[in-house]
Every structure is written in structure tokens, then in C-alpha cells.
Amino acid sequence: MLAETPGRVTVAPAAPVPSAPAGFLDAVTCPADVKALPESALPALAAEIRERLVEVVCRTGGHLGPNLGVVELTIALHRVFDSPRDAIVWDTGHQSYVHKMLTGRGSDLAGLRQAGGMSGYPSRAESPHDLVENSHASTSLSYVDGLAKAFAVRGETDRAVVGVVGDGALTGGMCWEALNNIAAATHRPVVIVLNDNGRSYAPTVGVVGRHLAELRGAATAGEEVRSLFEQLGMAYLGPVDGHDAAAVETLLRKARALAAPVVVHCVTRKGLGHAPAEADEADRMHAIGPAKPAPTNGAGTNGAAPAVRPTWTDVLADELCAIGARRPDVVALSAAMLGPTGLSHFAGRYPERAYDVGIAEQHAVTSAAGLAMGGLHPVVCIYATFLNRAFDQVLMDVALHRQAVTFVLDRAGITGSDGPSHHGMWDLSLLGLVPGLRVAAPRDGQRLRELLREAVAWSDGPTALRFPKADAAVDLPAVGRLGGADLLRADPGAEVLLVAVGALAGAACAAAEELSSAGVPCAVADPRWVLPVDPELVAGSVGYRLVVTVEDNGGAGGFGDAFARAARLARRRVDLLTLALEQRFLPHGERRMMLAEHGLDGPGIAASVRAALG
Ligand SMILES: Cc1ncc(C[n+]2csc(CCOP(=O)(O)OP(=O)(O)O)c2C)c(N)n1
């Protein structure tokens, strides 16, 4: 794998960050307040912002490293541009906390990513200063291209358009599609602020990262290197030390005055000012979880630390390594997420069989098709929500060609604190449309291992596995079979059949227990392979008073709809209740609580069944 060495950022200062004397931050309620500060106050303001970021984000969880890296850059942006009249678009948006603090939301930071609190991304509902909230990377330059065209057509030529894009996001193909247009329109002003910290989560892969490193190196050595952006016809300013607010401000003013497409290359350090983040070579605290409450009685009587349960991702990582040892043809791909998808273990053990392609899901999927055509079995590990990007590639490049590619969809279902753009609630609806693609949903760690082995053993077309962001469920042994499904419970004379998708099996069993105790005997089935729907399971469901499907996909076109369609096509009469997530953009919150709110926990499922039975 091509990867820039971390720490090659040569322009940023190595000097200690000043500690924060109180005062400036609390006085900033809008960008005009930032503009009014004397230049001499900027280092102190930056120090206060860092202190507040560390204090809050270490408690709530969130994108600490990226935000610590953009403090001065954000201050400079709000001194030069007039948001929201000037449009500032943050690529991905995970680095917008400082922008929020400077646009009147400093006091809301305490509720970051908490249910009902401030979003961890820009949010149009929160502020007119937030334009783009989708948080899927590499879109900013397309948005600014459109905004710049719109302002030109409307004659609003005094409005600047700014896209802030990371070197990681710049590995995404959409950025280059946008640059292809932006650079061609030499008289249409667009300011592209390139926030170059040399890293995505991990050091940025590929020649884009290498070129940026070359530009940084040349600047330090005082050499002239013509940037790729200039070769494409744009102006290029920098590289500038992105932690020198005054220097960035000077360059941004120059960029604005050019009234042309221009790239301002800012060199920053992810995690700057927080020693644990700076020392974290894996990802510079790109995203951290909330502080764990101190254990009260978890240490047990013998004083041993409470057992840490493996996550679904941990189990996947372990089993994939085991498969890799037996199967030299198994290769793995990630789109800039080797660590978060658990692939770093496989990549560490089999570096020649692991590919980090950058933030490039579409390319990852078609490249996997090529790997399969070349005689290998690729496993593409991707967050469920990001597979949406590559639907056409799954459909036409993989499935039409019947290539044996396995997709591992981590973060399926409710993901929690990342909100609407990150909930993995679309995959079953989309993948259900793909002819010849089989989708599995493991109910527990043991099933994840088995299903992954079955998926990579399948050579007649693509397969997918989906599981959530959570600890792997406790193993639920089968008590029998119903068609191709595992029966997890079979009360004598069962009236209700609950068919649960993957990790929701536990909730279905809890509901069955509650209903059974109240005199409604139940059976619970886990299809394991959920799509296409098993005709034998449909046949086996006939005769129950009520059949209930339970899934954490959106209701439209999910497993329940697929089951109903299969029953309809087979002309089987089934009284069907389909329980799923509401088909709308769901806010951020805690997974367990959100599932309960959607009636997808044990008591919620039982209540829906009681209501349906009247
Ligand atoms: C389409 C898509 N794939 C993956 C991600 C996950 N992701 C979030 S931030 C990030 C790295 C972004 O790196 P960069 O743009 O350089 O910003 P930095 O965090 O370094 O400031 C990735 C891969 C995403 N948000 N969108």
C-alpha cells in the first residue's frame, strides 16, 4: 500500500501551543466578533478553543483530532469571508466544531452528539452558517461549483464561494469530477481551502497524498514545484502554515481578490495541542468515543477488571484473519477505513493482500470486480451507509458479471451519534434490488463467523453481510430449523412467528418470552441469509396467526417488504406485520434508545404484536 509517512507535515510549527487565558471565546457570538479581534488576540482565542474542544469532546466523544487541526484555519476563514452571505462548505463536515463555536453555538457544544443536542456535523436546522450536512466525503467541490454557478447566474457577484476540503477527501473521485469543471471556468471565482494534514484516518494513500507531500517538501527546501492544480489551470497559493492564523488570513484575502478558481494549500497537524492525539499514530484521535463512566461494581468481588465484550467488528476482523490463513485467494479492500472496519489486522498480517483505495467506494467495488475476474475472492469492508455511493457498481460491475465479491457492511442499522447520514438503514432496500446477490445478517458472533465463511465459499455471484456498530450479541443457539432458517424458540402450539434480521434476534426472543408468559405462544426464526427471501421459510410461515418481521433497515423495501413480496408471488396467505425503522432521516441518538423509540426492542415488539392481535 502506498502511504505517506505520518509527521511529514513540515510547515506546521513544532512549538508548544500556548495555554488559554480566559476571555476571548466567550465574547465571540458571531463571525463579526472574530473579525473585530486584533490580530494579536488570535493565538489566545485559538488556545481557548482548543481547551474547550478537548474538555467537551473527551467527554461526549466525537472528531477531536480533525477539529484541533482546523482551529486557526477556521478563525481566518471567518475573518476574511462573510458567512452566510459568502458560502463556506465543509467537506464531510466532521471538522466543523470550531466553525460552530464561532457562529454563535459555543454554549451548545456541551451537548455535542447527545440526543437532542448539537449535531457532530454541520446542520441546516442549527444555523444558516451550515450549508451542507451530508457527511459523506468528497462532495464539497461539487457543491461549491453549483453555488458559484448559481451566484453567477443570479448576478450576485459579490458573494464568495469557499470549499474546505481535506487531503483525505481529495482522494474521492467526486472532487476530481468537480475540479474538471471548476478549473475550466477560469472567470468563475471559487476558493478551495485544502486542509492538508497528510492524513485521512490514517496517512493519505496514493499519488494525491504523495504530490501534496512533494509540495510541502519543496516549500521547506525553497524549491519550485509546479502544483497539479496549476497544471489544471487554477491559481495555487501556499503551502502556508495552517496554524498561523494571520498568515492564512493574508492568503485567503489574496485568494478572494483573485476572483478566479484558486487552491489555498494549508498545512495543518491533526490533533494539535492535545498530546495524546498528537502521539496517536493510528489515527490522531480522528474520532473518539464518549468517556466511559467509572465502573461502580463492575470490578467484581475479586477486583478483576470487568470483561470487555468484543464488538461485531472485532469478531469480523478475527475471522477474516483466520480465513486469510487458509485461503491465499482472499483479499480485502477498504475505502480509507482500514482501522474502523477492523481490516487493519488482516492488512498487518497479509499486507500484499489488503488494499486501502482512499475515500473511493465506487472504485473499491469495481476494483473488487476486477480482482474477482482475476481469480481472487475480494472482501470489501465498508460502512453500510457508504455503500450507497457505489450502488451502480454493485449492480452492474459486480452482480451483472456474477462476480464472487463479498461485501462486509459494518455500521448497518442505527449507528447512533453520527446521525442521519450515518445510519445504515438503506442497504437491505438497495441490495434487495440486485439480482443474484445474497445478503446475510448474523444474529451473534458465532453466526458472523459462520456466515463469513459461507460467503467467501460462495463462488456464484456476490454476497453481503451486515451488522451494527455495537458489541457482538451473546450467542443464541438454534433449537430447530424452519426451511433454511434457524429456529431460536418454538413454543408448542405457537401462534406468532417472529422472523428477526440479524442483531435484532435477541429483541425478538425477548418479545417472544414476554408474549409467551402472557399466554401467546411464539416461535422465533433467524433466516441467517435474509435476501433473497427463502421460499421454504415463507412456506413454513403459513398457518401462524401472525407472522412478524423485525429489522433495523428502513421499512420501505426492507426485509419485511421482501418477505411480503415473496409470499405474494408464491400465493401464500400470511397475516404479516413488518416492524422496521421509519423511512425518514433519523437524528443522532444512542442506538439502544433509538431502537426502543422505534419499537424495535423486546417490549416494543411485544406491544406491536399485542396491538396487531387485538
Ligand atoms: C464517502 C465516505 N467514506 C468514508 C467516510 C469516513 N470518513 C470520515 S472523515 C474521513 C477522513 C477524512 O480525511 P480528510 O478529508 O483529510 O479530513 P481530516 O479528518 O484529515 O481533517 C473518512 C474516511 C466518509 N465520511 N464518507
Side-chain angles (χ1 to χ4, degrees):
M1 281 176 298
L2 270 174
E4 284 306 322
T5 333
R8 288 271 302 277
V9 178
T10 48
V11 183
V17 175
S19 62
F24 292 113
L25 181 56
D26 289 337
V28 170
T29 58
C30 61
D33 295 336
V34 187
K35 289 182 177 70
L37 286 173
E39 195 180 295
S40 58
L42 302 186
L45 174 64
E48 281 184 61
I49 291 172
R50 282 208 170 80
E51 202 162 278
R52 185 79 56 90
L53 281 173
V54 170
E55 180 246 312
V56 171
V57 184
C58 285
R59 177 167 48 76
T60 62
H63 290 97
L64 185 57
N67 281 285
L68 289 171
V70 296
V71 174
E72 290 81 5
L73 191 147
T74 311
I75 292 173
L77 275 167
H78 280 299
R79 283 168 69 82
V80 174
F81 297 99
D82 240 332
S83 172
R85 179 145 183 84
D86 293 333
I88 303 177
V89 176
W90 297 88
D91 202 292
T92 315
H94 62 303
Q95 75 296 54
S96 61
Y97 304 172
V98 185
H99 160 79
K100 293 187 181 214
M101 292 164 89
L102 300 183
T103 52
R105 287 168 282 173
S107 56
D108 299 338
L109 193 71
L112 181 73
R113 292 160 63 94
Q114 313 300 299
M118 183 195 259
S119 163
Y121 298 94
S123 160
R124 293 169 66 90
E126 273 176 23
S127 168
H129 294 280
D130 293 2
L131 283 177
V132 169
E133 60 184 50
N134 81 35
S135 91
H136 286 209
S138 315
T139 62
S140 61
L141 303 190
S142 300
Y143 277 114
V144 296
D145 176 56
L147 283 160
K149 285 169 176 163
F151 292 169
V153 169
R154 291 164 58 91
E156 297 174 331
T157 47
D158 60 322
R159 299 182 72 179
V161 175
V162 185
V164 186
V165 62
D167 55 297
L170 202 62
T171 60
M174 270 186 85
C175 282
W176 296 93
E177 294 170 36
L179 284 175
N180 191 39
N181 290 181
I182 291 170
T186 49
H187 297 297
R188 195 158 53 227
V190 167
V191 178
I192 298 171
V193 177
L194 173 54
N195 172 32
D196 177 12
N197 54 28
R199 305 180 68 95
S200 212
Y201 272 72
T204 300
V205 300
V207 294
V208 173
R210 202 160 62 184
H211 178 62
L212 298 181
E214 200 188 339
L215 295 176
R216 300 192 299 262
T220 317
E223 291 163 9
E224 278 280 312
V225 173
R226 192 150 182 258
S227 73
L228 184 57
F229 308 105
E230 289 162 291
Q231 292 179 41
L232 293 176
M234 285 180 281
Y236 168 83
L237 302 175
V240 61
D241 175 356
H243 298 299
D244 181 340
V248 177
E249 187 177 329
T250 303
L251 231 53
L252 289 177
R253 288 195 194 287
K254 207 167 157 185
R256 177 170 201 156
L258 280 176
V262 51
V263 172
V264 181
H265 187 178
C266 299
V267 181
T268 61
R269 298 221 317 240
K270 207 162 184 165
L272 183 71
H274 184 50
E278 292 195 67
D280 173 12
E281 272 315 308
D283 66 7
R284 299 271 166 87
M285 292 194 159
H286 176 91
I288 59 172
K292 295 222 168 31
T296 43
N297 59 356
T301 46
N302 62 3
V308 178
R309 289 192 51 73
T311 62
W312 296 95
T313 311
D314 293 334
V315 177
L316 178 279
D318 189 56
E319 188 59 34
L320 191 60
C321 282
I323 290 171
R326 292 193 303 274
R327 289 271 305 267
D329 63 318
V330 167
V331 295
L333 291 91
S334 152
M337 308 282 278
L338 280 178
T341 58
L343 263 196
S344 41
H345 300 274
F346 186 94
R349 211 172 288 183
Y350 313 108
E352 73 294 351
R353 286 195 272 149
Y355 305 97
D356 179 355
V357 301
I359 308 181
E361 286 78 7
Q362 293 171 296
H363 161 57
V365 172
T366 304
S367 172
L371 284 158
M373 285 173 179
L376 301 176
H377 191 112
V379 178
V380 182
C381 296
I382 227 167
Y383 283 9
T385 185
F386 298 143
L387 187 77
N388 298 351
R389 275 278 165 97
F391 176 69
D392 185 57
Q393 286 73 8
V394 171
L395 182 69
M396 294 299 170
D397 303 342
V398 175
L400 175 69
H401 295 82
R402 237 165 137 156
Q403 294 303 307
V405 174
T406 296
F407 300 101
V408 172
L409 307 181
D410 200 322
R411 272 69 164 176
I414 296 288
T415 53
S417 41
D418 280 309
S421 60
H422 273 60
H423 294 310
M425 53 180 278
W426 327 98
D427 55 290
L428 287 177
S429 313
L430 290 173
L431 296 183
L433 300 172
V434 179
L437 184 136
R438 303 173 67 216
V439 184
R443 68 175 178 268
D444 57 25
Q446 178 58 26
R447 258 38 64 171
L448 172 52
R449 291 180 188 278
E450 289 171 10
L451 288 164
L452 182 64
R453 290 197 289 264
E454 291 172 30
V456 297
W458 184 255
S459 56
D460 190 22
T463 47
L465 259 73
R466 78 187 301 268
F467 52 80
K469 178 188 186 184
D471 291 345
V474 177
D475 285 350
L476 276 170
V479 298
R481 302 280 285 173
L482 181 64
D486 279 348
L487 270 179
L488 307 181
R489 180 188 183 109
D491 292 341
E495 295 175 22
V496 174
L497 171 67
L498 295 145
V499 184
V501 171
L504 294 194
C509 287
E513 180 65 34
E514 187 183 324
L515 290 163
S516 194
S517 310
V520 182
C522 293
V524 179
D526 165 21
R528 298 172 77 256
W529 288 96
V530 293
L531 294 175
V533 175
D534 172 16
E536 285 187 56
L537 175 62
V538 175
S541 69
V542 173
Y544 287 93
R545 200 172 141 204
L546 183 68
V547 176
V548 186
T549 60
V550 185
E551 65 191 302
D552 55 355
N553 190 80
F559 174 71
D561 276 4
F563 193 98
R565 179 176 152 78
R568 199 168 64 236
L569 291 177
R571 302 190 61 75
R572 304 275 185 192
R573 282 189 187 281
V574 179
D575 189 1
L576 188 64
L577 171 67
T578 58
L579 302 180
L581 294 170
E582 255 178 87
Q583 196 71 26
R584 63 183 173 89
F585 293 110
L586 303 177
H588 60 274
E590 199 265 323
R591 175 174 156 85
R592 195 179 282 272
M593 283 175 53
M594 288 186 71
L595 286 174
E597 278 163 24
H598 284 259
L600 294 173
D601 61 347
I605 296 167
S608 298
V609 171
R610 273 196 301 270
L613 291 176

